[in-house]
Amino acid sequence: MSKALIRIALLAAVITGIVLAVLYRDQLSAEALQQWIGDAGSTGPILFFILLYAVATVVFLPGSVITLADGAIFGPVWGTLYNLTGATLGATLAFLVARYLAADWVEQRSGGLIKRLKNGVESEGWRFVAFVRLVPLFPFNALNYALGLTRIKLSHYIIASYLCMLPGGIAYTYLGYAGREAVAGGEGLIQKILLAVALLALVSFLPRLIAMFRRGPEVDATTLKQQLDSSEDLLLLDVRSAEDYIGEQGHVAGSLLIPLEQLKQRLDELSDYQERRVVTICRTDRKSAKAARILVEKGFADVHVAKMGMTDWLKCGYPVETQMPQEAKS
C-alpha cells in the first residue's frame, strides 16, 4: 500500500472515531465506566482506563469524566498512575498522527505568523511543552495534534508531557476519590475534602507561578533606550490610560498604547509579537508587571518590564511625545 493511501486510511479512521465519539459521548459517564470495570475483571485498569483514556484523547472525548471516575474507583495513587499513563499515551498517539499526516505539508507551506509561531515553539522545545502542560492555554486534545506539526523531539514531548501533567493529574484524581468518600461517608472526610480543595487551589495558582519564572528580566531605562536606538525588533507596550499617555509624562515615540484594562480583550492586536520581544511600560512598573504576567500566561515568549517605567525614562532626560499618534486616532 502506498504512503498516500496509508495517510488517507489513517485520516479516515481518526475522523470516523471523532464522529462516533460525538454521537455516543453521552454514554460516557462515571456509572458506565464503573460497570465496564466490573465486567472486565482484572484487565479493567488497562483496558478501560489507560487505553480508553488514550483513545478518548485522540478522538476529542473529554478526559475529565475518566479522570474523576478513575480516582473514585482506584484511589489517588493508582488512579493518578492510570490517568497520567493513558493521557500521555493518547497525547503521543495524536502527536504522531499529526506528524505523519501533515507535518511535511505544513513545513512546506507555512509562512508569516504561522512560521514564526512554529519556529518559536521549536526553539523552546521541551520548555514550551512543559509550559503549555502546566498552563493550559489551549484545549488539551487539539494541542496534541498542533504540537505534532512542529519538529519538537518526540522523547522531549513525552517526558515533558508526563511530568508536567502530574500536578493536574494528582489534583483531579484526588478530587474524584474525595467525591467517592463524601458519598460513602468514609473516615477523615473533612480532611480529604480540604486536601482536594488545596490541591485544586495549587493547580489554579500554577499559571501565575510559571509566569513569574518565565518572564524575562526587567529592562532599565538606559538599556531600553539603547535597544530602541539600535532598531531592535521589539514592541514597547504602554499600558497606561490614554490620558496619561498624552499627559504630563508623555510617552516614548513608537510605543503602542493598550491600557491594562483592555489588554485581555485586545491580545489579537499583538499576535505578530507572540514570539518576539515585548517590553511593557507604565508610570512606574506596577501596571506593566501585571501586563507582562498576562502576556506570559497567554503564551508570549519574550516579555520584559521597563524598570520604573516613564519615571526613570524622564529622570534620564530621554525625549517624549505628548501627542496621540495619528494611527491611534484613526
Side-chain angles (χ1 to χ4, degrees):
M1 185 181 293
S2 68
K3 191 173 183 179
L5 289 177
I6 294 175
R7 286 182 170 177
I8 293 172
L10 180 58
L11 179 60
V14 172
I15 294 174
T16 301
I18 294 173
V19 171
L20 290 174
V22 171
L23 293 175
Y24 294 100
R25 67 188 305 160
D26 292 340
Q27 296 185 23
L28 184 67
S29 64
E31 294 78 12
L33 290 173
Q34 195 156 10
Q35 179 63 44
W36 293 342
I37 283 293
D39 295 339
S42 60
T43 61
I46 296 176
L47 291 179
F48 289 107
F49 279 95
I50 296 179
L51 295 182
L52 178 62
Y53 209 132
V55 172
T57 301
V58 172
V59 299
F60 288 82
L61 275 173
S64 55
V65 173
I66 303 176
T67 301
L68 294 172
D70 201 356
I73 295 170
F74 297 106
V77 178
W78 286 107
T80 298
L81 176 63
Y82 296 149
N83 278 331
L84 277 177
T85 303
T88 305
L89 177 59
T92 303
L93 289 173
F95 178 92
L96 290 173
V97 167
R99 175 160 289 184
Y100 182 75
L101 288 178
D104 291 340
W105 184 87
V106 171
E107 186 75 23
Q108 294 169 4
R109 291 167 175 79
S110 62
L113 175 59
I114 294 177
K115 186 175 181 63
R116 287 199 299 272
L117 288 174
K118 186 172 178 293
N119 291 340
V121 170
E122 291 171 356
S123 66
E124 290 199 61
W126 69 266
R127 292 183 295 275
F128 183 85
V129 179
F131 174 66
V132 293
R133 294 309 189 199
L134 290 168
V135 184
L137 297 173
F138 313 104
F140 173 70
N141 293 338
L143 178 64
N144 301 321
Y145 283 99
L147 290 175
L149 301 177
T150 71
R151 295 298 177 185
I152 292 174
K153 288 185 178 180
L154 177 61
S155 59
H156 292 179
Y157 173 81
I158 295 173
I159 295 170
S161 292
Y162 195 94
L163 293 179
C164 295
M165 288 192 295
L166 183 60
I170 293 174
Y172 287 101
T173 303
Y174 194 91
L175 181 62
Y177 167 71
R180 183 199 70 184
E181 293 295 292
V183 173
E187 296 182 2
L189 179 59
I190 294 178
Q191 292 91 329
K192 291 172 182 174
I193 292 176
L194 289 176
L195 179 56
V197 172
L199 288 171
L200 290 174
L202 177 62
V203 170
S204 66
F205 182 72
L206 274 177
R208 179 169 294 188
L209 182 64
I210 297 302
M212 290 171 58
F213 286 106
R214 198 167 185 256
R215 197 182 79 195
E218 290 185 325
V219 178
D220 59 43
T222 302
T223 302
L224 177 59
K225 181 68 163 57
Q226 291 172 350
Q227 292 176 349
L228 292 171
D229 289 345
S230 65
S231 299
E232 287 195 25
D233 185 20
L234 67 83
L235 170 67
L236 181 59
L237 180 64
D238 198 312
V239 295
R240 297 173 295 164
S241 67
E243 291 77 13
D244 289 336
Y245 190 71
I246 58 174
E248 181 180 354
Q249 286 190 320
H251 59 269
V252 180
S255 60
L256 173 65
L257 171 66
I258 299 183
L260 177 63
E261 297 75 17
Q262 302 175 17
L263 183 56
K264 289 183 179 180
Q265 291 73 40
R266 297 175 61 182
L267 284 174
D268 287 347
E269 299 176 30
L270 307 178
S271 58
D272 285 346
Y273 284 86
Q274 191 88 27
E275 299 294 334
R276 294 149 72 186
R277 175 164 297 192
V278 179
V279 179
T280 60
I281 191 169
C282 63
R283 184 178 66 84
T284 54
D285 47 33
R286 294 182 62 184
K287 281 189 173 183
S288 53
K290 292 179 181 178
R293 186 168 64 242
I294 291 171
L295 294 177
V296 171
E297 289 176 358
K298 295 300 181 181
F300 284 76
D302 190 9
V303 182
H304 304 261
V305 174
K307 185 176 181 180
M308 285 305 294
M310 292 302 300
T311 300
D312 269 12
W313 183 270
L314 291 171
K315 280 184 179 179
C316 291
Y318 297 141
V320 297
E321 295 182 351
T322 56
Q323 297 295 319
M324 188 69 72
Q326 189 61 38
E327 58 270 19
K329 296 178 183 178
S330 56

